[in-house]
Amino acid sequence: FSSSGVEYFNLADTNSNLKGFIGGFATDAHAYYVPYNNGSPHGYAVRVSLSDFSSSGVEYLNLADTNSNLKGFWGGFVTDAHAYYVPHANDGGRSGYAARVSLSI
């Protein structure tokens, strides 16, 4: 455990909207980042392959493309089949819009 073991990359180099996350969770294969606010509430859910921790291992989807209220989450969790995003605040203020995303699609 030392600074020589640190690896990093900028998610926003993949897509400029991929910033402003709050919390995350992991499976055996991916690290997931919870969308919060990148200047305004956003819905860009990101996962990064744990075996390819680089920009080429990044996958993302904009939950707000499914429903414009799906943004501004505060935490999340995962099961074997789904990622869950906990509602917090979207453009209309406090939000109750929870999201569940299948991990197999």
Side-chain angles (χ1 to χ4, degrees):
F1 188 78
S2 72
S3 61
S4 65
V6 175
E7 299 175 60
Y8 64 91
F9 69 96
N10 186 353
L11 292 168
D13 288 344
T14 303
N15 178 309
S16 62
N17 293 303
L18 303 185
K19 54 189 172 186
F21 301 92
I22 193 158
F25 48 91
T27 64
D28 289 341
H30 295 94
Y32 291 80
Y33 299 82
V34 177
Y36 177 58
N37 189 311
N38 59 12
S40 63
H42 73 91
Y44 285 90
V46 176
R47 74 179 185 180
V48 179
S49 171
L50 297 180
S51 63
D52 183 10
F53 188 75
S54 69
S55 58
S56 63
V58 174
E59 297 176 85
Y60 64 91
L61 63 99
N62 186 357
L63 298 170
D65 286 345
T66 303
N67 180 304
S68 63
N69 292 299
L70 295 179
K71 52 186 157 183
F73 299 94
W74 193 284
F77 54 95
V78 66
T79 65
D80 289 340
H82 296 94
Y84 294 83
Y85 295 90
V86 179
H88 176 60
N90 59 28
D91 294 328
R94 299 290 185 206
S95 171
Y97 284 86
R100 179 175 87 165
V101 179
S102 173
L103 300 180
S104 63
I105 296 175

